[in-house]
Amino acid sequence: MLKENVKKQLIDGLNEDLAAELGTVIRCTYQAGKSFGLQGAELREILEKEVQDELRHASFLTDAIIDLGGEPTTAPQPFEKRDTLKAMLELDLKMETEGVENYKKHSQIADGLGDVELKVKLEEMAADEAGHAREIRRLLKGL
Ligand SMILES: [Fe+2]
Ligand SMILES: [Fe+2]
């Protein structure tokens, strides 16, 4: 594939990641507000901490897309509102797992373009999401 086409593919991929991050910020904020009781109080703390990571990811992606010559999206990926803590966490786990896979995939594309910084940063973000997924799995075990 031509280098320009690969770059376009990467910009599109990163824009999907950015939409997902923006959606996650909104989802976590919403879910924190809907977390009640003792378990809910614990979940709120974890979600509020996670939002900071996702905001950092979103701002890195915005800069990376601009640097590649693309236009960063400002539209968050919509999400399903769930009623119980368990159902919320199951959705979060699914989203985090998808995030890991997407960042790994896009890191490989960046590697193919010889962009070592982007390759490593996207891998680090895959690792961040994997850490979030682990934390959620631990929470789910107790529900
Ligand atoms: Fe993230
Ligand atoms: Fe995450």
PDB file of all heavy atoms in Angstrom, residues 21 54 57 129, ligand 1:
ATOM      1  N   GLU A  21     -12.416   7.367  23.205  1.00  0.00           N
ATOM      2  CA  GLU A  21     -11.931   7.986  24.456  1.00  0.00           C
ATOM      3  C   GLU A  21     -12.892   9.066  24.942  1.00  0.00           C
ATOM      4  O   GLU A  21     -13.204   9.137  26.133  1.00  0.00           O
ATOM      5  CB  GLU A  21     -10.534   8.596  24.264  1.00  0.00           C
ATOM      6  CG  GLU A  21      -9.433   7.601  23.982  1.00  0.00           C
ATOM      7  CD  GLU A  21      -9.035   6.751  25.190  1.00  0.00           C
ATOM      8  OE1 GLU A  21      -9.583   6.932  26.290  1.00  0.00           O
ATOM      9  OE2 GLU A  21      -8.171   5.886  25.009  1.00  0.00           O
ATOM     10  N   GLU A  54      -8.151   8.638  30.557  1.00  0.00           N
ATOM     11  CA  GLU A  54      -8.801   8.695  29.236  1.00  0.00           C
ATOM     12  C   GLU A  54      -8.703  10.111  28.645  1.00  0.00           C
ATOM     13  O   GLU A  54      -8.541  10.263  27.435  1.00  0.00           O
ATOM     14  CB  GLU A  54     -10.265   8.241  29.320  1.00  0.00           C
ATOM     15  CG  GLU A  54     -10.532   6.944  30.091  1.00  0.00           C
ATOM     16  CD  GLU A  54      -9.802   5.697  29.589  1.00  0.00           C
ATOM     17  OE1 GLU A  54      -8.801   5.813  28.863  1.00  0.00           O
ATOM     18  OE2 GLU A  54     -10.246   4.592  29.953  1.00  0.00           O
ATOM     19  N   HIS A  57      -5.324  10.346  27.219  1.00  0.00           N
ATOM     20  CA  HIS A  57      -5.290   9.627  25.932  1.00  0.00           C
ATOM     21  C   HIS A  57      -5.923  10.480  24.832  1.00  0.00           C
ATOM     22  O   HIS A  57      -5.400  10.562  23.729  1.00  0.00           O
ATOM     23  CB  HIS A  57      -6.063   8.307  26.030  1.00  0.00           C
ATOM     24  CG  HIS A  57      -5.409   7.280  26.912  1.00  0.00           C
ATOM     25  ND1 HIS A  57      -6.057   6.132  27.323  1.00  0.00           N
ATOM     26  CD2 HIS A  57      -4.168   7.225  27.461  1.00  0.00           C
ATOM     27  CE1 HIS A  57      -5.236   5.420  28.080  1.00  0.00           C
ATOM     28  NE2 HIS A  57      -4.090   6.065  28.185  1.00  0.00           N
ATOM     29  N   GLU A 129      -5.072   0.548  28.979  1.00  0.00           N
ATOM     30  CA  GLU A 129      -6.431  -0.017  28.875  1.00  0.00           C
ATOM     31  C   GLU A 129      -6.454  -1.445  29.444  1.00  0.00           C
ATOM     32  O   GLU A 129      -7.438  -1.854  30.066  1.00  0.00           O
ATOM     33  CB  GLU A 129      -6.948  -0.022  27.438  1.00  0.00           C
ATOM     34  CG  GLU A 129      -6.846   1.297  26.677  1.00  0.00           C
ATOM     35  CD  GLU A 129      -7.537   2.504  27.299  1.00  0.00           C
ATOM     36  OE1 GLU A 129      -7.967   2.436  28.460  1.00  0.00           O
ATOM     37  OE2 GLU A 129      -7.628   3.536  26.607  1.00  0.00           O
TER      38      GLU A 129
HETATM   39 FE    FE B   1      -8.027   5.374  27.093  1.00  0.00          FE
END
